Amino acid sequence: MQSEVVCVTQKNEILDTCLMAGRIMIESGSEMYRVEDTMQRIAHNAGASASSIFSTPTGLFMALPAQDAVQIQPITTRTINLEKVDRVNALSRQFAEHKVTLHQLHQRLEMLDHDVPFFPLWLQIIAAAVVSCTLMIIYGGVWADFIPSAVVGAIGYAVFYFIRERLAVSFLSEFMAAFTIGLLSWALVHWHLGQSLDMIIIGAVMPLVPGVAITNAVRDMLAGHLLSGLARGMEALFSVSAIGIGIALIFRFFS
């Protein structure tokens, strides 16, 4: 009887650990094939002879057929945090090398889940400014628009960040940030503080473009995860559409 209790506890811990690792990776923007590979490796190194995994952007299903164990894990949020993905992979490799036990791996994943390793907001805003002005030059802009593009890009990203953190409405943050960028760009050009409205807008919206999401959608589809690839592709398309609509309103009413 005691051995059966131990076996059930071990099965639950294997499933809990694998599903937590997979959930963290999906919520952080990882590709589905990487998620499934990591979960299968953890289960195998934990002693499970076989595992079956079905992953989608909104939920994870995992079973241990040899042990008659199945669990489901919903996915409620999705963002881009590749540092967390890297940390999960690092913990998985430590477990494979027997540097940590399954229980320690579970504890460290819990700590990683609650500790969000993001860069501070001020550094994100500075990075958005640098990306905006440098890409504006790369895309054919003039040096006179270098500072205006940096300022507009920084303010646009700040609007995106605060709306995303305070409102649980999908794609509203992208729309409002793009609208702010378009309005500020028009104002700077109208007041002769900038030269090219198009170039300032193009540079400033670059930090908002979901490039990682689009790339992961294509990689998922190429890896055979058609459902996940299409879902992520549609999510990226809606995000890009929100940005485009925000900019289009400025051209419609102010140009």
Side-chain angles (χ1 to χ4, degrees):
M1 184 66 179
Q2 185 176 3
S3 62
E4 292 181 0
V5 173
V6 173
C7 184
V8 171
T9 303
Q10 184 182 15
K11 288 189 296 185
N12 290 335
E13 189 167 24
I14 292 174
L15 288 172
D16 288 343
T17 303
C18 292
L19 288 171
M20 185 185 303
R23 176 177 59 79
I24 293 173
M25 295 180 72
I26 293 177
E27 289 179 350
S28 302
S30 176
E31 309 94 321
M32 290 301 172
Y33 72 86
R34 188 187 303 275
V35 172
E36 294 186 0
D37 180 68
T38 300
M39 293 174 65
Q40 288 174 346
R41 289 178 184 273
I42 293 175
H44 176 75
N45 292 322
S49 57
S51 60
S52 299
I53 301 169
F54 180 72
S55 59
T56 72
T58 56
L60 274 171
F61 305 82
M62 183 173 184
L64 303 178
Q67 303 178 23
D68 296 327
V70 181
Q71 281 192 22
I72 301 173
Q73 177 68 61
I75 309 296
T76 56
T77 60
R78 288 175 300 278
T79 184
I80 301 298
N81 191 340
L82 300 183
E83 186 174 353
K84 292 183 76 170
V85 176
D86 178 69
R87 291 192 185 186
V88 173
N89 286 329
L91 289 173
S92 175
R93 287 191 291 269
Q94 291 178 15
F95 180 60
E97 296 169 357
H98 306 289
K99 294 181 179 179
V100 296
T101 64
L102 181 63
H103 183 66
Q104 290 173 331
L105 174 61
H106 189 275
Q107 289 181 326
R108 295 186 183 185
L109 286 172
E110 284 184 332
M111 293 174 59
L112 177 61
D113 190 25
H114 292 94
D115 176 29
V116 183
F118 271 112
F119 291 105
L121 176 59
W122 65 267
L123 186 57
Q124 294 184 50
I125 292 176
I126 291 176
V130 172
V131 168
S132 299
C133 58
T134 52
L135 288 180
M136 183 274 300
I137 295 296
I138 292 175
Y139 290 146
V142 296
W143 287 101
D145 291 331
F146 190 82
I147 299 300
S149 181
V151 173
V152 173
I155 295 175
Y157 184 83
V159 171
F160 166 77
Y161 179 89
F162 285 113
I163 293 179
R164 183 186 62 183
E165 292 296 314
R166 286 164 173 75
L167 298 178
V169 181
S170 299
F171 314 114
L172 179 62
S173 56
E174 289 91 338
F175 169 78
M176 291 303 301
F179 183 83
T180 302
I181 287 171
L183 186 60
L184 289 175
S185 300
W186 175 85
L188 289 175
V189 173
H190 182 72
W191 295 333
H192 305 289
L193 298 176
Q195 291 188 10
S196 175
L197 176 64
D198 294 346
M199 287 295 104
I200 295 175
I201 290 177
I202 289 173
V205 299
M206 284 298 107
L208 307 179
V209 176
V212 176
I214 295 172
T215 302
N216 286 348
V218 174
R219 295 182 68 176
D220 278 339
M221 295 184 69
L222 293 177
H225 294 269
L226 300 180
L227 179 61
S228 300
L230 289 174
R232 286 188 164 180
M234 289 300 298
E235 188 174 21
L237 179 61
F238 285 140
S239 180
V240 171
S241 299
I243 296 172
I245 292 172
I247 297 299
L249 289 177
I250 298 301
F251 280 97
R252 173 64 179 83
F253 295 105
F254 291 92
S255 296

